[in-house]
Amino acid sequence: MQHESILVLDFGGQYNQLIARRVRECSVYAEVHPYTMPVEEIEKMAPKGIILTGGPNSVYGESALKYDSRLFDLGIPILGICYGAQLMAHAVGGRVESAESGSEYGHTEVDIDRSGALFHDVAEKTVAWMSHADHIETLPDDYTITASTAKCPIAAFENPAKKQYAAQFHPEVLHTVEGKKILRTFVMDICGCSGDWVMDSFIDTTVAALKEKVGGGRALCALSGGVDSSVAAVLMSKAIGNQLTCVFVDHGLLRKDEGDEVEAVFGPDGPYNVNFIRVNAQQRFYDKLAGVTEPEQKRKIIGEEFIRVFEEEAKKIGTVDYLVQGTIYPDVIESGLGDSATIKSHHNVGGLPDFVDFKEIVEPLRMLFKDEVRETGRKLGIPEKFVRRQPFPGPGLAIRIIGEVTAEKVQIVQEADAIYREEIDNAGVENLGQYFAALTNMRSVGVMGDFRTYDYAVVLRAVMTADFMTAEAAQIPWEVLGRVTSRIVNEVPHVNRVLYDCTGKPPATIEFE
Ligand code: XMP
């Protein structure tokens, strides 16, 4: 356990991990737990402060959540945010109303009382992010109102004697201009944290926790060479050494030289002890994909074959107690959106569990955001090439080849993509979310030397994106595109045209499938 931590109690809001992340940005360890966490466990954890998150429910009526109100008697400083603020008001005897007129969404101007303990360094008029229908109508006399908006007279309140603080708005969201300051004040000044937590402590605590959990058991990890599974595997190997086996399935749809690069780092000659098993299953995958052109079908075939290969290896190892997965927080949210339409089946997000006999899944990175995973990877000494790696889909190049996948086409796209990445690196183009080459299924007439050609068109894609849910095409300098084009047509056989994809997402997707 960390020597000081903040407990974020999750009431189902959208920004809950973001709260934890903002706290970690203050160099204080934070963990998110469900609001049902028993009070006895909270006492055992002994956090320096508790933050109650937002959530979609009302504090009254049928949808009211059943929580343990002894929470407010622990003597630990508490900050209620949005729903958390309403819950606190309700718990201490205030009144919360559902308000047609009082609801506020988006940027909202807030009047701040700077004598409020949370707000000593916040401007008297500031802008905050609001997202609520219900609002707090009254509070008991011993509570002070510390902020208000035009529609919401009680936008923040406190009772320092009881160590209770609340804000109707969301300090964790960047739209709340001074939100970080407010959270910092809570964590440092009010909770008295020292702010000496660093990623190294995350590594130490996680390794210790994994060691305790796994004990003498065996663990198995599907290593893809992506940053998430690499970091998860190294953490696990630090914890349990030889009890871990990592299986790396080379499905023949990886980027150029990638299989060998993964082997160089994680294999027996590399610095880590992960019992690395490389399965060269290239031909198996090509055989299964022969004649298949429909993208979703390709994904399904690859997903199923991957499972089969992995299962065969797992059987050779014998009993496995734990399956290690590199799930990170954004995967948790995405797969949590149960009713959203399936645009594409992400076979490697939460897709492995039910085919290997094991007791439990271990997800050491479940609470981290991508940049935090990268930082952890650096601290673990994983080479920069792996740590900085851009996202690469589980089904690999199969979904960057339009039409049938063949070994020859895989090679074309690997070579073209390697040239593209090399030139982008050389040119130092920045701020690209993702970039890669794909192979269209179009062949057209060209001329090379004195000969007519009838060859493929490679397409280059580069997007800028914050969250990979939407994206816009990047404006790669023309001379860079020109250089890439001439190298591809000169160096890669069977390519006589290079196209640039100018489409954003929507209406396209980032991948080219
Ligand atoms: P799209 O193409 O849906 O991609 O706009 C959004 C992001 O997701 C990645 N992607 C995948 N990642 N398994 C993954 O782990 C998959 O099956 C998969 N399909 C797409 C894509 O590379 C982009 O970053």
Side-chain angles (χ1 to χ4, degrees), residues 429-499:
V429 183
E430 282 180 355
N431 297 327
L432 298 180
Q434 201 168 355
Y435 56 98
F436 55 84
L439 188 61
T440 71
N441 203 22
M442 181 195 92
R443 288 198 296 163
S444 64
V445 173
V447 56
M448 251 184 198
D450 292 330
F451 294 99
R452 175 186 186 275
T453 57
Y454 185 59
D455 275 330
Y456 286 109
V458 158
V459 66
L460 304 178
R461 183 121 177 88
V463 296
M464 295 190 307
T465 175
D467 55 9
F468 296 90
M469 309 294 274
T470 61
E472 53 184 305
Q475 298 191 20
I476 306 281
W478 188 245
E479 68 271 18
V480 179
L481 288 177
R483 222 168 18 246
V484 176
T485 302
S486 79
R487 278 196 60 193
I488 290 177
V489 291
N490 283 314
E491 295 173 34
V492 186
H494 304 297
V495 179
N496 66 359
R497 281 176 205 267
V498 175
L499 317 175

Side-chain angles (χ1 to χ4, degrees), residues 395-412:
L397 299 178
I399 60 163
R400 293 180 182 172
I401 292 172
I402 305 293
E404 189 186 6
V405 176
T406 63
E408 185 204 20
K409 285 179 170 178
V410 169
Q411 206 186 347
I412 293 175

